[in-house]
Amino acid sequence: MRISPPAATAAHRWLAGLLLSAASAVAMAQAAQPHVVVLATGGTIAGAGASAANSATYAAAKVPVDKLLAGLPELASVAKVSGEQVFQIASESFTNEHLLKLGQRVSALSKQADVDGIVITHGTDTLEETAYFLNLVVRTNKPIVVVGSMRPGTALSADGALNLYDAVTVAASKDAAGKGVLVTMNDEIQSGRDVSKTINIKTEAFKSQWGPLGMVVEGKNYWFRAPVKRHTANSEFNIDEIQALPAVDIVYGYGNMNTTGIEAYSKAGVKALIHAGTGNGSVAAQAVDSLKALRGKGVQVIRSARVPDGFVLRNAEQPDDKYDWVVAHDLRPQKARILAMVALTKTNDSKELQRIFWEY
């Protein structure tokens, strides 16, 4: 049977319309997807080993962000994902300048109407410090997720791909909004404030003494608690107003401790010194006078503890009120340093600093 030209034309129009409708539906579905920007900074998640058997011996910061994303086609079903290479370094080499540059970029992206969430790939050594810094200074309710891996992508049982997939899933989720900066690794959703790296050779390296906020399993979030400390949109600090961070360092307490480190930091001109004490932030008798002298020069003395859990009690072990010292509450020394730097951009009053350590 021969189709007349008018009938053929009508059939072609119908088919063209059907194809156009299908294309429009796909375009609309893609447009409706949340837009997640992945900011890459290097680390193990971008690392490569000499063989698949190398899970702990490898070179960090080798794989660029476009290859990381190209290796995860599953992300297309989660969000519209774009990537930027901010740095390509191992995280132990992060400096204050890196923190500032990254924070400013995250802040700028968070203000864009077409950005729904932000993921930062990061080396694990200082990941917790960067996450806490962003938690303090980026004024947004949009999800910000910091992610890393304990094994390079070339290793057997590499954890980076799933960690990154989970991070994008969380960043694309409306229910992750307003919970501060998050860390997503090993199926857990942790608070960037609370979490710390607790071991260097296992994939479940990141833990919080207060427990995870939730879990992410097969692309779905399960929440169990929410952070109560001030963060992000409710913070009094703003990365857009911070041009530089003051010098804050850490001195470690130990048996037979001497005062060489305290005196060296005093001469170096630090603005605050974190004392990572034993037990309840204890200070050795031979170090007390050196710390008192440091405070007499206007340097803030902040008592933290080297133990992994618990918190430092004010006026226990040392008369903090008498010496005009600050206690770090439950912050480990490395995080106490981050908060002290940020706080000192606003105030050098010890009572105000103590308030900030209670609230953040």
Side-chain angles (χ1 to χ4, degrees), residues 183-203:
V183 173
T184 303
M185 290 181 62
N186 199 47
D187 302 327
E188 294 181 336
I189 307 171
Q190 299 276 1
S191 164
R193 177 197 184 271
D194 300 339
V195 77
S196 289
K197 185 176 182 178
T198 61
I199 193 168
N200 65 333
I201 52 172
K202 291 185 177 181
T203 55

Side-chain angles (χ1 to χ4, degrees), residues 214-231:
M215 294 190 69
V216 53
V217 180
E218 295 183 353
K220 181 174 175 56
N221 302 335
Y222 298 87
W223 300 98
F224 301 105
R225 70 179 184 94
V228 297
K229 298 292 186 178
R230 291 177 65 178
H231 60 75

